[in-house]
Amino acid sequence: MEHIIAVTVENKFGVLSRVAGLFSGRGFNIESLSVAPTLDPSMSQMTIVTSGDDRIVEQIVKQLNKLIDVIKVVDLNESEFVSRETALIKVHTKAEDRAEALRIADIFRANVVDSTPSTYTIEVTGDPKKIEAIINLLQPLGIKELIRTGRVAIAREAIRPAVSQPKKVARE
Amino acid sequence: MKLTGSEIFIECLKREGVKTIFALPGGVVLKIFDMLHQQKDLEVILTRHEQGAGHMAEGYAKATGKAGVCLVTSGPGMTNVITALADAYMDSVPLVCFSGQVPTSLIGNDAFQEADNIGLSRPCTKYNFLVKDVNDLATTIKEAFYIATTGRPGPVLVDIPKDVSMAKTEFTYPSSVAIRGYNPTYEGNKWQIKQAAEAIMKAKKPILYVGGGVVFSGASKELLELAEMTQIPVDMTLMGLGAFPGEHPQSMGMLGMHGTYCANMAIHYSDLVIAVGARFDDRVTGKVSEFCPYAKVIHIDIDPTSIRKNVHVDIPIVGDCKAVLRELIQILKATVNGDQRELRKPWWDQIREWQEAHPLAYQQEPEGAIKPQHVIKRLYELTKDRDPIVSTDVGQHQMWTAQYFKLAKPNRWLTSGGLGTMGFGFPAAMGAQAAFRNRLVLCVAGDGSVQMNMQEMATAVVSKLPVKVIILNNRFHGMVRQWQDLFYEGRYASSYLDTTPDFVKLAEAYGAIGLRANSVGELDAVLKAAIETDKPVVVDVPTYPYENCYPMIPAGGCNHEMILEDPPELKKKQAGVPGTGSTEDKDTILTA
């Protein structure tokens, strides 16, 4: 099963290869991985998409925790989460296709971020299914180049009912 | 006052209480060696190969329980020490290895003797550092010792570029270490420990399965108390030997591939396995799906990744063995009632039956070729009163030593368990001898494996490390030959060592003492003579070349299905073969 693991690490050189080396050395698969610094610039946040049965994912989480540069590991599948991916898609556009390309972009709330007489570069953000869908629709026009960021994900904040207020609200 | 990087290095080692380092110089570490040369209270043992330095540091660490320290140069120095780092990583040995690196301005330029030390050592160290700035050196060294010795111990590498060892800065040594991603758990979860105590009280056929973690955490006293209080039999892993007294009536000896019959039967038929500081290695479990099929499993380990990695665990307890066992004993003290001896009687009756059915055995003819087991047995009997430290290489001789040398105390056993490194034993013994100059340190080796680091005999002679090396010489890579006998129809592909040197002359060439026991009758006298000398000794013992190590669980087999002796066709083949394996017998041996 697919799991999204959020890993907070020290923002130091070599940490990415430690994490990647852990996966390759133990035969775990990485489907996508994205890294960037957090609000605190001494730390980075990694989003790793991997897959495996419960036993494998448990080992992945434990082994990540064991790395000295790893500060925190959260298996996001254990709660609700929001995940997004961005793709930049460069499509060939013959004169008769240009309107069609724009229409498709519009349907997916995608933006055209670059344009030449023969191409559009379309930026789209969403969950992987949405990205797959727009790619499928643009494919007949001819995709010249495609780049995807890999997923980033964040846990949904649990909504805690306020303790005293709901009663008041109920009375009103 | 400002100090150079090299001076800081030495100050830090002193603050960490380091007395001995194992080292081999080279271009980029000359500044450090120059400073070491001027020290009186820091002994440098100059080895002949960096692998030797690494294994010596391991032997030092295993015997003392403190971090072993080695220092090597860049490039080839680093690549040579890698085997020792990997060995230490597999066996959780606290080790701090310092490597030299080309100047920071040249890193990444393919400079002379440059290697990516961080990249090379990453998969075989617990952690590694590249010190890019002399201002970070002291803190890094402090952290390196802290990481190597705490939690699950392991090797740590500190890579020091040449310019860092030359640069100057103000020296301050941090008093404590704070690493936000590293907080080992020492105390076990109280609720889980209570569950474990309840399971122990309920169990009818429990067994303690103890590993090297008990030795590292210094929990032997607690283990003995727990075992005696509850009357539970004790199985030891190869790494756990010495954690529990080998001659204790509750000791089952070693379990696993070459473990005793009763140790393997007991764990297979137990209803509760209490694993303490052991990691369910495949050489212990055999076929994982059929490992102890009737048992609940309690697993105590400081490393959470060890738990549930190989086998299902019912009660996991993450924590230090010593702390957890103490807590467990406290709870059991309050609940144990009645005579445990009486309660466990049916279980012990069964175990005694197994013990009597298939004890460890071999047949030594008084006039026949020397049996390797006999050598170990006599060595044990002649030295046990002197509380020796014993190291081994890897192979048949290692397994026989594990079976017949019944260690009474922890930190007496130096062997390469996880990585199985041939050539480990001799330098490791030297490391232990460097820590304990007046103790008796024995190294049991095979003629194949001892040749992998024989050059360190020069180090032993010069540094006055009177290690006694006993070579069980069968002119074979014995364990390889055993597998070829059992699984490859006796085709001895590359296992016969045609040009084994004359070890007596070789020892003498290095300035050590060489002895040989040519017959069973000579054995005791030769061993005694070796033990009595205060110089490094090599004892060459030509042994019966066909002896195989039993019991044996074939790889992937089940613990209760042991091969107990040579199959009949093999016995037939061996009959009438000359005994000593000397080169004159070569044709008969290879065609038999």
Side-chain angles (χ1 to χ4, degrees):
Chain A
M1 188 190 154
E2 185 186 87
H3 277 251
I4 300 189
I5 298 171
V7 191
T8 313
V9 299
E10 297 281 352
N11 186 6
K12 290 198 291 197
F13 80 95
V15 176
L16 176 61
S17 64
R18 278 178 211 278
V19 172
L22 165 76
F23 277 77
S24 63
R26 292 184 185 269
F28 304 140
N29 190 32
I30 297 180
E31 272 157 34
S32 90
L33 188 158
S34 66
V35 203
T38 61
L39 265 183
D40 174 351
S42 73
M43 295 194 272
S44 284
Q45 179 83 29
M46 290 185 183
T47 308
I48 303 174
V49 182
T50 184
S51 58
D53 59 25
D54 288 353
R55 202 180 59 85
I56 289 175
V57 173
E58 180 182 334
Q59 265 301 310
I60 290 174
V61 170
K62 280 178 171 176
Q63 295 285 359
L64 282 169
N65 261 313
K66 192 171 154 181
L67 292 181
I68 284 159
D69 290 319
V70 168
I71 298 160
K72 195 178 170 192
V73 183
V74 180
D75 179 359
L76 288 172
N77 287 46
E78 285 176 2
S79 60
E80 294 281 306
F81 63 90
V82 188
S83 85
R84 288 289 181 273
E85 181 175 11
T86 293
L88 294 173
I89 310 163
K90 200 180 280 173
V91 269
H92 290 290
T93 44
K94 293 181 216 117
E96 63 269 30
D97 290 338
R98 285 181 81 85
E100 172 68 2
L102 285 180
R103 246 196 317 274
I104 295 170
D106 196 39
I107 294 167
F108 286 90
R109 273 173 286 167
N111 303 314
V112 175
V113 291
D114 186 36
S115 162
T116 66
S118 60
T119 62
Y120 277 138
T121 301
I122 295 169
E123 169 212 44
V124 61
T125 296
D127 62 26
K129 275 185 194 150
K130 177 176 165 186
I131 303 218
E132 292 296 330
I134 188 170
I135 290 171
N136 283 339
L137 285 177
L138 290 172
Q139 204 115 45
L141 305 183
I143 293 178
K144 192 178 179 198
E145 218 181 318
L146 165 71
I147 183 86
R148 297 171 69 158
T149 58
R151 256 180 295 170
V152 291
I154 199 163
R156 279 189 195 279
E157 192 64 17
I159 301 160
R160 291 188 205 88
V163 182
S164 54
Q165 279 172 352
K167 285 182 184 168
K168 268 187 190 169
V169 173
R171 249 177 258 142
E172 282 162 10
Chain B
M1 199 182 69
K2 287 198 168 182
L3 300 182
T4 63
S6 309
E7 289 165 322
I8 291 171
F9 170 82
I10 282 161
E11 270 311 305
C12 292
L13 291 196
K14 285 184 183 168
R15 306 267 174 122
E16 290 296 328
V18 176
K19 298 270 186 294
T20 310
I21 75 169
F22 304 93
L24 209 159
V28 297
V29 281
L30 282 180
K31 180 78 179 168
I32 296 176
F33 275 85
D34 189 47
M35 288 310 304
L36 282 167
H37 188 61
Q38 300 165 37
Q39 301 303 315
K40 287 204 175 65
D41 40 3
L42 248 175
E43 185 189 20
V44 178
I45 292 190
L46 167 64
T47 67
R48 295 300 181 268
H49 189 291
E50 285 89 353
Q51 189 190 352
H55 290 320
M56 282 180 216
E58 282 190 90
Y60 182 97
K62 283 188 175 188
T64 60
K66 292 189 215 148
V69 179
C70 58
L71 168 61
V72 302
T73 190
S74 60
M78 177 62 207
T79 53
N80 277 350
V81 84
I82 288 263
T83 304
L85 293 179
D87 189 274
Y89 191 45
M90 290 288 267
D91 284 350
S92 312
V93 183
L95 196 74
V96 181
C97 175
F98 294 95
S99 58
Q101 182 56 276
V102 300
T104 44
S105 58
L106 289 182
I107 290 178
N109 280 9
D110 300 331
F112 176 64
Q113 294 198 324
E114 185 190 353
D116 172 11
N117 292 358
I118 297 298
L120 281 167
S121 60
R122 189 183 304 116
C124 52
T125 49
K126 184 172 171 187
Y127 198 65
N128 55 18
F129 296 92
L130 168 62
V131 187
K132 282 181 163 171
D133 183 342
V134 70
N135 293 306
D136 299 336
L137 185 59
T139 315
T140 304
I141 295 177
K142 176 89 186 174
E143 288 182 354
F145 276 91
Y146 176 72
I147 292 172
T149 52
T150 52
R152 180 177 181 173
V156 176
L157 178 95
V158 182
D159 197 25
I160 306 176
K162 187 179 178 185
D163 53 327
V164 171
S165 73
M166 317 268 277
K168 276 191 170 182
T169 189
E170 205 65 45
F171 173 69
T172 47
Y173 201 58
S175 55
S176 63
V177 175
I179 305 168
R180 53 186 165 181
Y182 180 65
N183 300 296
T185 312
Y186 289 92
E187 299 294 326
N189 179 298
K190 285 193 174 11
W191 188 83
Q192 291 289 78
I193 297 176
K194 222 170 155 188
Q195 295 292 304
E198 277 168 25
I200 291 170
M201 295 308 294
K202 266 190 234 154
K204 292 203 164 54
K205 298 188 278 184
I207 186 138
L208 275 156
Y209 153 51
V210 307
V214 174
V215 178
F216 289 127
S217 81
S220 294
K221 206 177 116 262
E222 285 77 9
L223 175 69
L224 184 66
E225 190 181 347
L226 174 73
E228 288 185 339
M229 180 168 76
T230 54
Q231 287 295 308
I232 299 176
V234 180
D235 273 10
M236 281 172 274
T237 68
L238 179 66
M239 294 300 296
L241 292 174
F244 190 77
E247 296 234 7
H248 193 283
Q250 281 172 250
S251 165
M252 307 281 98
M254 184 171 73
L255 84 164
M257 186 173 268
H258 291 289
T260 63
Y261 180 77
C262 71
N264 283 326
M265 293 299 273
I267 199 160
H268 184 81
Y269 289 103
S270 67
D271 64 355
L272 179 71
V273 171
I274 308 150
V276 194
R279 62 189 177 93
F280 296 89
D281 184 82
D282 55 277
R283 298 280 129 147
V284 161
T285 60
K287 195 176 188 179
V288 175
S289 58
E290 284 167 46
F291 177 67
C292 52
Y294 315 106
K296 261 189 143 178
V297 178
I298 300 170
H299 192 179
I300 303 166
D301 204 300
I302 197 156
D303 179 3
T305 61
S306 282
I307 291 173
R308 273 204 286 266
K309 185 164 72 178
N310 302 331
V311 299
H312 172 77
V313 173
D314 299 278
I315 306 174
I317 304 172
V318 177
D320 175 52
C321 293
K322 194 182 175 100
V324 174
L325 288 185
R326 264 193 196 155
E327 180 92 25
L328 189 58
I329 289 167
Q330 285 308 318
I331 298 173
L332 285 170
K333 261 188 188 159
T335 41
V336 165
N337 46 23
D339 187 356
Q340 292 298 304
R341 227 169 281 259
E342 198 52 42
L343 191 76
R344 299 260 180 257
K345 193 167 177 301
W347 183 219
W348 275 107
D349 285 347
Q350 171 69 70
I351 283 170
R352 297 293 175 223
E353 214 171 276
W354 284 326
Q355 274 177 327
E356 278 157 32
H358 300 288
L360 289 173
Y362 63 91
Q363 278 190 324
Q364 177 64 63
E365 310 291 340
E367 300 294 323
I370 305 175
K371 288 292 179 79
Q373 300 96 321
H374 184 66
V375 183
I376 307 293
K377 189 155 173 272
R378 289 310 299 153
L379 186 65
Y380 169 62
E381 282 161 0
L382 290 170
T383 60
K384 64 176 172 183
D385 295 335
R386 299 178 54 162
D387 189 19
I389 294 171
V390 189
S391 84
T392 72
D393 271 330
V394 169
Q396 284 183 318
H397 68 274
Q398 176 190 31
M399 292 299 127
W400 282 317
T401 313
Q403 290 175 339
Y404 289 91
F405 210 103
K406 301 195 184 303
L407 294 150
K409 294 178 190 167
N411 298 106
R412 304 313 193 257
W413 176 240
L414 322 174
T415 198
S416 169
L419 195 66
T421 310
M422 287 168 71
F424 166 88
F426 180 38
M430 289 165 58
Q433 188 84 76
F436 301 105
R437 293 276 178 174
N438 299 320
R439 294 271 297 274
L440 175 63
V441 182
L442 306 168
C443 167
V444 181
D447 53 314
S449 55
V450 78
Q451 292 185 65
M452 287 204 175
N453 271 319
M454 195 69 207
Q455 77 286 348
E456 297 304 337
M457 187 50 89
T459 309
V461 171
V462 172
S463 303
K464 300 193 168 52
L465 300 169
V467 169
K468 322 294 182 230
V469 185
I470 291 92
I471 301 175
L472 301 184
N473 187 349
N474 59 5
R475 291 188 180 259
F476 270 109
H477 283 300
M479 192 58 96
V480 173
R481 188 202 38 70
Q482 174 164 348
W483 281 54
Q484 288 169 336
D485 268 339
L486 294 170
F487 312 117
Y488 293 87
E489 294 161 2
R491 290 185 297 277
Y492 297 147
S494 303
S495 58
Y496 184 67
L497 297 167
D498 208 343
T499 53
T500 302
D502 181 331
F503 288 110
V504 174
K505 280 188 189 158
L506 186 57
E508 286 167 354
Y510 278 114
I513 294 174
L515 301 169
R516 182 173 290 120
N518 287 305
S519 65
V520 185
E522 285 177 24
L523 184 65
D524 274 26
V526 170
L527 289 178
K528 273 185 203 156
I531 295 158
E532 293 311 322
T533 56
D534 56 359
K535 278 191 167 179
V537 184
V538 173
V539 183
D540 181 29
V541 188
T543 58
Y544 178 63
Y546 275 113
E547 195 65 16
N548 285 334
C549 185
Y550 294 110
M552 178 178 185
I553 303 167
C558 208
N559 280 40
H560 67 302
E561 294 165 349
M562 283 159 274
I563 307 176
L564 294 163
E565 55 175 20
D566 284 325
E569 66 276 10
L570 193 56
K571 275 188 187 167
K572 211 156 86 190
K573 187 178 140 183
Q574 290 165 4
V577 163
T580 59
S582 65
T583 21
E584 295 84 71
D585 299 336
K586 181 186 166 191
D587 289 343
T588 355
I589 286 173
L590 293 179
T591 53

